Amino acid sequence: MRVAFLGPPGAGKGTQARDLAQEWGVLHLATGDMLREAVTAGTALGREAKGHMDQGALVPDDVIIRMMAERLGAADAVRGFILDGFPRTIAQAEALARLLKDLGQTLDTVVYFDVTEPELLRRLTGRRVCRACGHTYHVTSSPPTRAGVCDACGGELYQREDDGEATVRNRLEVYRRQTEPLLDYYRQRSLLAPVSGEGPVATIRDAIRTSVGAAR
Ligand SMILES: [Zn+2]
């Protein structure tokens, strides 16, 4: 099982990837987590990535690609993987194809999480965090008992700047520009399997299982 999950921020890829990787006994390779781990571990690659992140810049393709090459070449990747957050650009997709070719492997399916823009905005701007204890809520999907008040400690809930509408719209715009061209790229290679990313988590999970031929 070698698949990539593709879709906008807020599409729910991470949750599904984590659960399905466990179910299928394959690696869940989330680029964001891998970068944070490399930074924490202080590896050469982590230090390089941190330099870019500290300046508020995106980590360049070549750093991400080297990190993935190392990980995909490791012994435990032989059983398969779910890529979550990679590839994000055409350059990364081409590098991935070369990497897998060198390893004598191919990508089976690219699952595309289709979610409408209003729904993404609702999900991404609805997060509220407790000022006192850091507990997170969502105004519609996991609201506190009393609006604006933390259930755990009675603290005040607020919206982080990252979750504000302007920042969220900017993140979605970056996604559209960088990542949407990948839909055509994988459609042309007959690898793209769109699933609806809206509705109950279990229903979406079933659709993913079917799309990768792992229905049960
Ligand atoms: Zn609290």
Side-chain angles (χ1 to χ4, degrees):
M1 182 78 71
R2 296 186 190 94
V3 300
F5 285 2
L6 195 67
K13 300 185 297 294
T15 306
Q16 297 286 359
R18 193 186 58 224
D19 294 350
L20 287 167
Q22 197 167 22
E23 178 178 312
W24 297 336
V26 299
L27 299 177
H28 171 205
L29 300 181
T31 324
D33 294 345
M34 291 168 67
L35 280 171
R36 275 187 292 276
E37 281 163 22
V39 169
T40 305
T43 62
L45 206 139
R47 287 196 302 274
E48 196 178 337
K50 189 172 185 300
H52 297 285
M53 288 149 87
D54 285 349
Q55 292 169 34
L58 287 175
V59 179
D61 277 347
D62 73 289
V63 177
I64 304 274
I65 289 162
R66 272 185 283 139
M67 178 176 77
M68 294 308 294
E70 202 173 291
R71 193 65 193 85
L72 292 175
D76 61 351
V78 170
R79 293 180 58 198
F81 50 75
I82 299 174
L83 302 177
D84 169 11
F86 178 87
R88 193 163 274 173
T89 61
I90 294 283
Q92 290 182 10
E94 287 170 344
L96 174 64
R98 285 194 298 274
L99 266 168
L100 292 176
K101 192 168 176 229
D102 288 347
L103 293 166
Q105 302 172 357
T106 52
L107 204 55
D108 300 324
T109 310
V110 175
V111 179
Y112 168 56
F113 288 61
D114 195 8
V115 180
T116 61
E117 175 133 347
E119 173 65 10
L120 291 173
L121 279 171
R122 189 191 67 78
R123 289 183 190 178
L124 293 167
T125 60
R127 196 158 77 128
R128 297 293 181 272
V129 184
C130 174
R131 261 185 218 289
C133 75
H135 194 91
T136 61
Y137 298 85
H138 191 281
V139 291
T140 49
S141 56
S142 61
T145 313
R146 263 182 65 204
V149 181
C150 178
D151 288 342
C153 77
E156 182 201 357
L157 303 185
Y158 77 109
Q159 184 183 46
R160 282 192 184 146
E161 200 167 319
D162 272 6
D163 300 329
E165 184 162 333
T167 311
V168 165
R169 281 192 187 278
N170 186 49
R171 282 166 67 197
L172 291 174
E173 177 55 31
V174 169
Y175 161 80
R176 261 193 301 274
R177 204 172 51 235
Q178 281 199 328
T179 311
E180 271 195 359
L182 286 179
L183 300 184
D184 275 338
Y185 177 91
Y186 284 121
R187 199 177 286 121
Q188 283 159 13
R189 286 158 182 79
S190 304
L191 288 174
L192 195 71
V195 300
S196 170
E198 295 187 31
V201 171
T203 309
I204 300 168
R205 191 167 304 147
D206 277 340
I208 299 169
R209 286 194 192 104
T210 304
S211 72
V212 302
R216 43 171 209 183

